[in-house]
Amino acid sequence: MLADKLRDKQRRDKVKKETADTKMEQRKIDDAWRAACDEGKLNGRVILCWLDMKHIGNRVYTFQSDYGLKLQDLRLDGIGLTSLGQISCHCRDLEKLSLASNSIRDISNSNIHHLSKLTHLNLLRNQLTHLPASIGLLKNLTRLDIANNFLTELPTEISALSRLTQLNVECNELSELPNSFGKLECEVINLNSNKFKVCPPCIVDMKNLRHVSIIGNELGFLPSGMHRLKKLEVFRASKNRLTCLPDSIVDISKANCMWFDFNKLSALPPNFHRLTRLKELKLDGNIDLVYPPIQIAAKGTEEVLRWSRNRTEMGKNTKIRHIVQSVVELLNQVQRYMIGGPLHESVFAVIDGQFQFPPDALWRIFIPELTKIWSDPSKPLNDGITSFPYERSEVEQAMFQFRDAAGPIVTTTSHARFRRCSCIQTGQSSVVCVPPKASEILNVGVAKMATFRFLLRPFVSDVLLLVQRLVGCALDQRY
């Protein structure tokens, strides 16, 4: 009997102690809510974070009646919440709501659309698996942070958030975005650490984007319409599977930061140097990178842009040289086949080692006649070109732009020295051919432009000229 009485007493003492502890804990919780609300009575802001509350205190719901001030900013991060409670019923004047780092799984039954004045909503680090369509009714929302959840898709209704400027969906399980997202006026979007295998096409329709981050996905390529992002300043696509970049990326004129490190890139697009505002470029971890070479990429952004600029100029010079060489070969064939018969000397001459001809003759006489020869199987060609696939504008531009180590290879003259040929007609005495008047042969649509005088001389090697200059410098230093 004594033992039973002792056990009953211990049990009663334990219950009494637990009740006292519970009351004390509840008192601490009430005091914490009271202190948080008292602190916000001057600015309508209640902040209570990183305490084990489990629920929202009634003082939050009665804030306006208690203090005569609207509750506009509520931050309850890391307090163990599993739902939004009755916030949407009692706190409809809220403009900013942060419930980060809680255990909220579902907000479908929270009537969140009643919080129509919300501009900022932060549900970072919860356990959300989906969002309700009613979130599209928050017409004043400018910033939505739903990172670090378990979302596999987003409702198309988000595209109705016409004032949304910042969207953070980092660390979810998204593999695509609704096409309607292209209607958003977003300036900043964070898609890091999801499951995107293809960059959402709607991205290029979001014309106000300034900052895009899509790090840590499985992207194989980027959309071709990147040039439409005229306001884009920052683009980060590190740790993906990109093997190439679209050529249009060089037309993002305002870009100042681009991250493509730890991908599978082998080359940058041509004309990459057109990104003149680019200050930060990351290419580390692309082990197959050839253009630019890895050692160039390691020297930083300015060196990569310089390399691209030099390479582009070399490419242009190569094409120009090829065009000029093709023109030389064409004129050699004009001379070889005596295009136009004996009268060819009135529109074509080789004087002092230079070809001389009016520009119009190249297109009006030489090329048409040579085309017939090239296509005639009865006239086998031993060597040389058999086609001339260039436009007149690019040919004339190339001829005037081309420089070798000795200077320009084409000049013009207003006093053409065409030789007058002697035409021998059977049974008649010889006559002298008179070339057309200058006004008839020297018309290329440029003021005072006269006949091309093409300097037919061997191309002078840049290396040879450099050696000559170095030897000259050495002799000058010696003497």
Side-chain angles (χ1 to χ4, degrees):
M1 293 291 294
L2 184 61
D4 291 340
K5 290 181 179 180
L6 183 60
R7 281 194 295 269
D8 289 343
K9 184 178 184 305
Q10 290 175 343
R11 187 164 45 250
R12 287 193 300 272
D13 291 344
K14 182 179 180 182
V15 171
K16 187 183 296 185
K17 184 177 184 303
E18 289 177 351
T19 302
D21 290 344
T22 301
K23 289 182 178 179
M24 183 177 295
E25 186 66 26
Q26 187 61 46
R27 191 178 299 112
K28 289 181 179 179
I29 291 175
D30 291 342
D31 289 344
W33 283 115
R34 183 185 299 108
C37 291
D38 286 346
E39 190 173 345
K41 64 183 179 182
L42 298 178
N43 53 22
R45 177 187 303 157
V46 173
I47 302 175
L48 185 62
C49 302
W50 311 113
L51 292 174
D52 189 13
M53 297 296 190
K54 304 297 185 185
H55 68 281
I56 300 175
N58 288 331
R59 284 184 173 275
V60 172
Y61 302 141
T62 61
F63 183 89
Q64 184 170 348
S65 59
D66 291 343
Y67 300 100
L69 183 69
K70 293 179 180 180
L71 180 60
Q72 297 178 319
D73 188 348
L74 180 60
R75 304 179 190 179
L76 306 177
D77 300 339
I79 64 172
L81 297 179
T82 57
S83 70
L84 269 64
Q86 301 179 42
I87 289 179
S88 58
C89 296
H90 300 285
C91 306
R92 297 191 178 186
D93 291 308
L94 277 177
E95 296 179 3
K96 296 181 180 181
L97 175 60
S98 179
L99 301 174
S101 300
N102 284 288
S103 301
I104 301 172
R105 295 177 180 273
D106 190 3
I107 60 173
S108 299
N109 299 321
S110 62
N111 294 319
I112 195 171
H113 59 281
H114 288 163
L115 303 176
S116 58
K117 296 183 180 180
L118 272 185
T119 60
H120 293 61
L121 177 58
N122 182 4
L123 295 171
L124 170 73
R125 285 191 295 273
N126 277 278
Q127 299 177 22
L128 296 172
T129 56
H130 69 281
L131 293 179
S134 59
I135 200 168
L137 299 175
L138 303 177
K139 300 297 184 181
N140 290 305
L141 202 63
T142 61
R143 182 170 181 173
L144 176 60
D145 192 339
I146 46 178
N148 293 85
N149 281 280
F150 301 95
L151 301 171
T152 57
E153 61 180 1
L154 297 179
T156 58
E157 286 77 8
I158 288 184
S159 61
L161 302 176
S162 58
R163 298 186 180 182
L164 192 67
T165 58
Q166 297 185 42
L167 175 62
N168 183 5
V169 294
E170 182 178 14
C171 294
N172 279 281
E173 299 178 6
L174 301 173
S175 58
E176 60 182 3
L177 295 180
N179 290 331
S180 58
F181 269 42
K183 301 176 183 178
L184 289 173
E185 300 294 325
C186 262
E187 297 179 5
V188 179
I189 187 168
N190 185 344
L191 304 174
N192 293 346
S193 301
N194 277 277
K195 296 184 178 180
F196 292 104
K197 294 185 178 180
V198 177
C199 187
C202 60
I203 290 291
V204 299
D205 295 323
M206 301 168 72
K207 298 181 180 179
N208 286 327
L209 278 177
R210 294 185 297 102
H211 186 134
V212 176
S213 188
I214 193 166
I215 298 170
N217 284 274
E218 302 175 16
L219 302 183
F221 59 91
L222 299 177
S224 58
M226 296 290 289
H227 62 284
R228 293 157 61 183
L229 300 175
K230 300 297 185 183
K231 298 181 180 181
L232 189 64
E233 298 175 6
V234 177
F235 186 82
R236 294 171 176 163
S238 307
K239 299 179 182 178
N240 279 281
R241 300 178 181 177
L242 297 174
T243 57
C244 63
L245 300 178
D247 291 347
S248 59
I249 204 169
V250 305
D251 295 319
I252 306 177
S253 58
K254 292 189 176 181
N256 59 60
C257 175
M258 287 187 169
W259 292 5
F260 300 115
D261 48 319
F262 297 99
N263 278 279
K264 298 183 178 181
L265 297 177
S266 59
L268 294 180
N271 298 314
F272 195 77
H273 60 277
R274 288 168 59 178
L275 296 169
T276 55
R277 297 189 181 183
L278 194 62
K279 301 299 180 184
E280 183 179 359
L281 174 65
K282 290 190 176 183
L283 295 172
D284 303 340
N286 289 282
I287 59 176
D288 297 325
L289 191 64
V290 178
Y291 298 108
I294 292 178
Q295 59 269 28
I296 295 294
K299 293 181 179 180
T301 305
E302 291 186 6
E303 194 65 26
V304 171
L305 295 179
R306 186 181 298 111
W307 175 90
S308 175
R309 189 179 301 109
N310 292 341
R311 182 173 175 80
T312 300
E313 289 301 320
M314 289 175 60
K316 289 180 180 178
N317 291 338
T318 300
K319 183 177 180 180
I320 290 173
R321 177 183 287 268
H322 191 272
I323 291 176
V324 171
Q325 290 175 333
S326 297
V327 173
V328 171
E329 175 56 32
L330 186 144
L331 295 175
N332 279 327
Q333 292 190 22
V334 168
Q335 184 180 19
R336 185 185 311 149
Y337 296 111
M338 299 182 64
I339 300 299
L343 288 178
H344 76 279
E345 290 183 343
S346 295
V347 291
F348 177 79
V350 181
I351 300 176
D352 299 332
Q354 304 172 11
F355 287 122
Q356 186 170 277
F357 61 95
D360 183 61
L362 185 65
W363 309 96
R364 182 171 52 87
I365 301 175
F366 302 159
I367 293 177
E369 291 298 323
L370 283 174
T371 301
K372 295 177 183 178
I373 295 175
W374 294 335
S375 60
D376 187 352
S378 64
K379 296 182 178 180
L381 300 175
N382 296 326
D383 56 9
I385 62 174
T386 57
S387 65
F388 195 75
Y390 303 110
E391 298 293 334
R392 177 169 180 168
S393 59
E394 65 177 338
V395 170
E396 294 180 355
Q397 184 178 14
M399 292 174 70
F400 281 109
Q401 285 185 350
F402 185 78
R403 301 286 189 276
D404 61 11
I409 202 167
V410 175
T411 59
T412 60
T413 178
S414 58
H415 303 287
R417 294 187 294 154
F418 290 120
R419 188 171 64 233
R420 298 181 180 180
C421 63
S422 297
C423 292
I424 308 299
Q425 299 184 12
T426 305
Q428 298 182 14
S429 59
S430 62
V431 295
V432 176
C433 291
V434 179
K437 297 178 181 179
S439 60
E440 297 177 6
I441 68 172
L442 307 179
N443 182 16
V444 294
V446 181
K448 298 184 179 180
M449 181 63 70
T451 305
F452 284 156
R453 175 179 292 175
F454 194 93
L455 305 182
L456 182 59
R457 53 176 172 75
F459 295 123
V460 177
S461 167
D462 294 338
V463 176
L464 177 60
L465 187 62
L466 178 60
V467 171
Q468 292 173 345
R469 289 177 178 175
L470 290 174
V471 171
C473 292
L475 291 174
D476 289 342
Q477 293 176 359
R478 181 176 180 180
Y479 297 103

